[in-house]
Amino acid sequence: MTLTKQDLDGPLGRPCELDIAGMEHSNEKEETMLQSLAGGETFGPVESSKKPTGRLIMHSMAMFGREFCYAVEAAFVTPVLLSVGLPKNLYSLVWLISPILGFVLQPVVGSASDHCTSGWGKRRPYILGLGVLMLVGMTLYLNGDTVVSALVVDRGTKKTWAIVITMLGVVLFDFAADFIDGPIKAYLFDVCSHEDKEKGLHYHALLTGLGGALGYLTGAIDWGHTVLGKYLRSEFQVMYFYAALVFLICLTVHLCSIPETSLPNIKVESKVLLTVANPYQYGSIEKVTNGYFKSGYNEIQLLSQQRKSTEKESIQVQRQMTLKSLLKALLNMPSHYRCLCVSHLMGWTAFLSNMLFFTDFMGQIVFNGDPYAPHNSTAYMTYERGVEIGCWGMCINAISSSLYSYLQKALLPYIGLKGLYFIGYLLFGLGTGFIGLFPRVYSTLALCSLFGVMSSTLYTIPFNLIAEYHREEENQKRGADEDHNRGKGIDCAALTCMVQLAQIIVGVGLGFLVSAAGSVVVIVISASAIALLGCCFVAFFVRFVEESNK
């Protein structure tokens, strides 16, 4: 039997073509697999798979534990500092050291996490380290006085060491608790699709509010007469036990929530393999066969050369990530990122101005108490009553923050991110303005719910916008040289830096305002003015992706 040329070109096709087609199909599968492993950041907008709701809630547990510890600090740090005899002239130093350190180091750590080559992932090693620092700080400021009393006999030395240990604990805790927010957000952005990022941020806001509410309620209970209080002999130790237990559980759940992909195996291996375009081509049997063997030999050489050059470039990029180049990357960030940072700074300045002095405002202005009166006087007891009611107002703020985070999801399709951002600033500005002008107990407590609107807005909308900006850049396939040293970690860190900068502004500026005006009412009025100014800034200067894509 003689086979003709037509028989070879028949339904079975040419043998070499079948082999080549199979090789190309295998090559396409390999390329797709590598792209999916790469997480989309290096090779284009490859979306991650949809994450179960349970995993997103597990990821958000870190925010629950962090806010629970924050509430414990807010309730007990002032009594602790007073109990160890901290001089009044050192109060401002305690609150300024942590935000100054955070403002300087936050972008450095954010960028370092972008280039982290740990086998455990880019973000989780930093989250674990900061979580340990939070526990160390909380241990020092809630137990430092007890430990020093047990170890030091001399009274003067004991007081000095108690002040030093307590101050160190407060600074460490604030530094780590403020710091940890950036890596947590970047971790969410790395492992989730765009829809899951929005969903995850809403769960973050929900559990942040619940954690704060539970922390304030736990702090409001008189633990001295309970079995645990009698066993541990101090209310501070009881609160440390609960806060440490809650935070450890939440941190463990968070770190086990969603696996990260190790960086080194992706950036070098997949970049090298995907650089080799399909070397196989159609043609005569002789051409394809010779071409196959030649390309196979050349491919081995090319892979070896490109692997060395790619590894060299990767090492060079990480060596170049100095503080100077990092600051340059921050200063040269696109204008819409810069505007978002400015609006975030204005929002946090207004929010912190009100929240840090709210209980004092309740005690002095709403209840007409006097914090400087003798402790057995009616004026001082009235002031303490106002502070207690102010704590319940903070609890209302935390609960409303959780509820509004769900309302945001319902409002988002109708008014978009711009409407949510604008409304958050507007309601807070109007609410604080009414509190300052009409300081009444029940109206003030009712308006505390608007603080939760602002809190939920600050924790979600700016990070949603960061995710939108990154998604837009990936879709447009912008050049790598433009934002070579920037990543999701450094952008989240830049936003979080605004919180520290706001703390510095509040710590330095509000003292002068109170001294000049002679009343803490000026703080609430200032917070209202800054929020309304930020509302205008959001409307006219912050860029929203959905508008530019219409």
Side-chain angles (χ1 to χ4, degrees), residues 4-206:
T4 64
K5 183 177 183 295
Q6 286 76 10
D7 293 325
L8 289 173
D9 293 336
L12 293 177
R14 297 183 179 182
C16 64
E17 290 183 353
L18 290 173
D19 292 339
I20 294 165
M23 285 184 289
E24 288 188 333
H25 178 67
S26 176
N27 197 33
E28 289 176 1
K29 287 176 66 179
E30 184 183 37
E31 189 168 327
T32 303
M33 181 182 68
L34 289 167
Q35 287 180 343
S36 65
L37 284 173
E41 192 168 325
T42 308
F43 305 101
V46 180
E47 289 288 332
S48 305
S49 59
K50 184 176 177 61
K51 298 294 185 293
T53 300
R55 290 285 180 178
L56 295 176
I57 293 175
M58 288 173 64
H59 188 279
S60 304
M61 288 302 293
M63 302 303 292
F64 180 94
R66 169 180 175 261
E67 202 65 23
F68 185 95
C69 295
Y70 256 145
V72 170
E73 185 201 29
F76 288 96
V77 73
T78 300
V80 168
L81 291 173
L82 290 172
S83 67
V84 298
L86 182 70
K88 290 184 178 180
N89 57 352
L90 292 180
Y91 279 160
S92 60
L93 182 63
V94 173
W95 298 116
L96 284 177
I97 291 176
S98 173
I100 290 173
L101 287 175
F103 182 72
V104 174
L105 296 178
Q106 186 95 338
V108 177
V109 174
S111 177
S113 70
D114 281 333
H115 299 85
C116 178
T117 58
S118 169
W120 203 31
K122 294 195 293 183
R123 318 295 179 187
R124 286 187 291 178
Y126 290 89
I127 295 172
L128 177 61
L130 292 168
V132 171
L133 274 182
M134 281 182 64
L135 283 173
V136 170
M138 194 161 54
T139 303
L140 291 178
Y141 85 78
L142 284 176
N143 301 288
D145 188 27
T146 304
V147 174
V148 170
S149 298
L151 298 177
V152 181
V153 179
D154 183 67
R155 187 172 181 180
T157 308
K158 183 190 299 184
K159 179 179 178 181
T160 303
W161 276 107
I163 292 174
V164 171
I165 295 297
T166 304
M167 285 181 63
L168 179 62
V170 173
V171 170
L172 271 180
F173 177 83
D174 278 339
F175 170 76
D178 291 340
F179 226 118
I180 203 171
D181 187 52
I184 288 173
K185 295 293 193 299
Y187 176 20
L188 177 71
F189 291 173
D190 285 341
V191 297
C192 291
S193 64
H194 182 71
E195 290 75 13
D196 284 339
K197 290 174 190 175
E198 293 183 347
K199 192 175 179 181
L201 286 172
H202 286 302
Y203 284 127
H204 277 202
L206 172 66

